[in-house]
């Protein structure tokens, strides 16, 4: 079975632009979480979705939004890009509804976003 | 502010030496997870600790959760070059559906 997949692998944008990142969870997993990992730091939690509903949100501005589709894939959208948004964006999937009930989550390879 | 602190930031050891990384939270955690991230890779789940004072072992790796559920440690016995990577802890606070990752400890093992 395929693991968590993310697209695109790499992306270069300029300040002020908009970006959409995509994630497909492991088959059978209904929960998707998004993280931002700046070089040299730990992942920062952005969102968690379970069965199309937002279940958790980190401390990110409203420029960041996400949604989950009926097939449980997910999109992360970032508007009005800033230089500081340059990072590796990771998606993780799990079969559990809440983070506190997670036994394990599986990360995808990430999308490397560079904002110039 | 930073919810979960992790030390040390870097650790260089000779192959065969032991290694420990520590994770401390300012608040009580409902559970804590540990991940390993190889250079250029993505985090890979290692283990989850839930109970106060819990100790779990995976071969040469020993994980502990403090009695107050505010701190945790990962100890590797007799490191090998395959242990190279960054180790992260990630905690969840009660009633907060958010993961708080530590800043990670980067382990380098010299053969």
């Amino acid at each position: 079975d395929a693991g968590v997949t993310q697209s695109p692998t790499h992306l270069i944008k300029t300040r002020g632009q908009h970006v959409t990142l995509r994630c497909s969870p492991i088959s059978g997993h209904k929960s998707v979480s998004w993280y931002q990992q700046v070089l040299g730091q730990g992942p920062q939690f952005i969102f968690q979705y379970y069965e199309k509903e937002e279940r958790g949100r980190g401390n990110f501005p409203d420029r960041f939004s996400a949604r989950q589709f009926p097939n449980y894939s997910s999109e992360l959208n970032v508007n009005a890009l800033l230089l500081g948004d340059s990072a590796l964006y990771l998606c993780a999937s799990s079969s559990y509804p809440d983070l506190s009930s997670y036994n394990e989550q599986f990360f995808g390879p990430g999308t490397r976003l560079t904002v110039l | 502010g930073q919810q979960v602190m992790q030390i040390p930031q870097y650790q260089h050891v000779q192959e065969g030496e032991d290694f420990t990384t520590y994770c401390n939270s300012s608040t009580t955690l409902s559970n804590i997870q540990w991940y390993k991230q190889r250079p250029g890779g993505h985090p890979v789940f290692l283990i989850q600790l839930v109970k106060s004072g819990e100790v779990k072992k995976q071969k040469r790796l020993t994980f502990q959760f403090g009695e107050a559920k505010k701190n945790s440690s990962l100890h590797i016995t007799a490191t090998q070059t395959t242990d190279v990577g960054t180790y992260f802890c990630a905690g969840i606070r009660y009633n907060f559906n958010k993961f708080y990752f530590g800043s990670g400890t980067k382990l380098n093992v010299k053969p």
Side-chain angles (χ1 to χ4, degrees), chain A residues 10-114:
Chain A
H10 295 86
L11 202 52
I12 298 175
K13 292 284 189 178
T14 56
R15 280 178 297 174
Q17 284 190 312
H18 161 90
V19 69
T20 297
L21 310 180
R22 295 178 175 83
C23 170
S24 291
I26 289 173
S27 178
H29 284 187
K30 300 179 180 179
S31 175
V32 169
S33 298
W34 286 95
Y35 297 84
Q36 180 196 65
Q37 187 175 26
V38 173
L39 194 63
Q41 296 182 18
Q44 297 295 312
F45 174 76
I46 309 176
F47 289 111
Q48 186 234 343
Y49 277 78
Y50 181 77
E51 289 202 341
K52 299 186 292 178
E53 287 192 7
E54 182 185 301
R55 300 296 293 266
R57 174 184 283 252
N59 297 327
F60 279 81
D62 292 343
R63 299 185 295 109
F64 289 76
S65 64
R67 55 179 176 168
Q68 187 176 32
F69 299 99
N71 66 353
Y72 307 116
S73 67
S74 178
E75 283 182 355
L76 175 69
N77 296 283
V78 187
N79 292 323
L81 286 167
L82 303 173
L83 296 180
D85 294 331
S86 295
L88 179 68
Y89 287 85
L90 295 160
C91 170
S93 81
S94 169
S95 54
Y96 296 88
D98 293 306
L99 301 180
S100 59
S101 61
Y102 275 16
N103 190 37
E104 183 171 1
Q105 62 178 340
F106 299 85
F107 280 86
T111 294
R112 175 73 62 187
L113 173 65
T114 302

